[in-house]
Amino acid sequence: MSDRLPAPSSSQEWVGTVRAVQANYYRVVLDSLSEKGRPDDEALPELLCVRRSRLKKTGQQVITGDRVVVTDPDWPSGRAAINEVLPRQTWLPRPAIANVSQALVVCALFEPEPDPLHFSRLLVQAEACGLTVRPCLNKSDLVEPEQVERWRSRVQSWGYDPLILSARTGEGIATLTTTCRDRISVMAGGSGMGKSSLLNALLPEVSLRTQPVSGRLQHGRHTTRHVELFAMPDGGWLADTPGFNQVELTECRSDSLASCFPEIRQRATECQFPDCRHQQEPGCAVRELEWERYEHYLSFLDE
């Protein structure tokens, strides 16, 4: 903790972002303090915080991504207490993270082979959480250019503009950095998709551990143990989430599932009934289309 930071007057409040939660402690990065006598070009201070007892009594949880108010920091020790949790704009339940506005859904083009159903499930879950969704096709250096283009066209037919990425060659990394500017983005995907390698390419100083893909199971070992935000060099935060292989559609309801498919959103107003489920209803403009993910939609609707 820099000893050049100003010593605030008694009960002065400071606002920051929870970067990580570990046990009962919260790592909070404070906002710019230039208005309180601190130069803009200094590194933002990080405090190790506890939760005020009154927050515990009311059951107020503090999660990664929360905007919080801390009072009376002890600058020499770098300690403080969280006094208030500001209203959340968004909330992801598993893993718990607040105020995310964008989901970077990562799918590897090789090792493991792409699984369209699992990829689609991740996209739908992100849509259901109200996030801006950006598919990322990773490990482009491991396949032929023709295969990359086939997958690009395929995901475009789903209604998305995918990023083509390679952590090894650096392809797409500059575009990904720009995409993450001035927002909290979450990087999601099954194990072995290369999320940690992408984070290493974006933020070399972080040096996240990576594990090889299992030859027998064709998925990677979990390398991320907790949710943590990493500051992007051009502004914004990027979150890595613990690896997983299956995703439950916890945020989806049957009456809103259709809105999680861009293909359906483009044609839903043409249906005869406003509450059309796009199954057996007469005059359904969506069911009459020939689109790849219709079977995915029906499968998820059954769930």
Side-chain angles (χ1 to χ4, degrees):
M1 185 60 57
S2 172
D3 56 10
R4 291 180 293 169
L5 288 170
S9 59
S10 177
S11 299
Q12 191 167 13
E13 294 183 339
W14 306 77
V15 177
T17 300
V18 177
R19 190 177 73 81
V21 178
Q22 294 171 296
N24 293 319
Y25 292 94
Y26 310 89
R27 296 193 174 276
V28 178
V29 176
L30 300 185
D31 292 352
S32 173
L33 307 181
S34 57
E35 296 179 359
K36 300 177 181 179
R38 174 181 164 275
D40 277 328
D41 58 356
E42 287 187 24
L44 297 181
E46 181 176 294
L47 300 175
L48 186 63
C49 299
V50 295
R51 185 173 43 153
R52 291 283 190 195
S53 58
R54 68 178 184 83
L55 294 181
K56 296 179 182 179
K57 291 178 181 178
T58 59
Q60 175 65 65
Q61 297 295 314
V62 181
I63 62 177
T64 301
D66 268 333
R67 298 281 291 158
V68 296
V69 177
V70 301
T71 54
D72 301 331
D74 180 5
W75 299 115
S77 68
R79 301 295 185 103
I82 295 174
N83 193 55
E84 180 184 357
V85 179
L86 300 179
R88 295 167 181 161
Q89 301 302 310
T90 59
W91 175 68
L92 303 184
R94 289 187 295 179
I97 182 171
N99 298 317
V100 177
S101 59
Q102 176 176 248
L104 305 170
V105 182
V106 182
C107 176
L109 294 173
F110 188 67
E111 290 187 348
E113 295 291 333
D115 181 345
L117 182 61
H118 184 262
F119 191 23
S120 185
R121 182 183 291 268
L122 285 167
L123 295 171
V124 168
Q125 175 75 326
E127 292 271 8
C129 292
L131 305 179
T132 299
V133 180
R134 194 68 186 268
C136 299
L137 300 176
N138 194 26
K139 304 185 183 181
S140 62
D141 58 297
L142 298 181
V143 297
E144 295 296 327
E146 293 79 8
Q147 185 173 346
V148 174
E149 290 307 312
R150 281 198 299 271
W151 266 98
R152 187 203 301 270
S153 298
R154 188 173 186 176
V155 176
Q156 286 175 340
S157 73
W158 298 357
Y160 297 103
D161 183 20
L163 290 174
I164 308 300
L165 304 174
S166 169
R168 188 177 69 84
T169 67
E171 181 182 5
I173 297 301
T175 302
L176 184 57
T177 299
T178 301
T179 300
C180 295
R181 184 178 297 158
D182 299 329
R183 63 177 73 189
I184 296 181
S185 303
V186 61
M187 188 173 287
S191 297
M193 296 297 117
K195 301 188 303 297
S196 293
S197 295
L198 287 174
L199 271 172
N200 285 338
L202 289 165
L203 303 166
E205 67 277 10
V206 173
S207 298
L208 292 176
R209 291 190 305 114
T210 58
Q211 295 275 2
V213 173
S214 165
R216 180 173 64 88
L217 300 177
Q218 281 298 297
H219 62 71
R221 300 183 183 92
H222 295 188
T223 59
T224 308
R225 301 302 179 183
H226 62 274
V227 181
E228 186 171 352
L229 297 183
F230 300 99
M232 297 294 291
D234 294 337
W237 298 94
L238 184 59
D240 190 21
T241 58
F244 50 82
N245 296 314
Q246 297 295 329
V247 181
E248 297 179 6
L249 300 175
T250 54
E251 297 303 302
C252 292
R253 302 191 315 272
S254 59
D255 58 351
S256 62
L257 177 63
S259 66
C260 298
F261 286 81
E263 308 97 307
I264 297 180
R265 291 200 298 264
Q266 295 170 4
R267 295 290 299 273
T269 57
E270 300 178 25
C271 288
Q272 182 175 347
F273 304 105
D275 59 347
C276 183
R277 293 291 183 90
H278 316 297
Q279 290 178 293
Q280 304 297 328
E281 298 88 343
C284 177
V286 170
R287 186 162 48 85
E288 294 175 356
L289 292 175
E290 291 185 5
W291 54 292
E292 177 186 1
R293 294 204 300 163
Y294 183 56
E295 294 303 321
H296 297 178
Y297 168 73
L298 295 178
S299 176
F300 299 158
L301 192 61
D302 286 341
E303 295 183 33

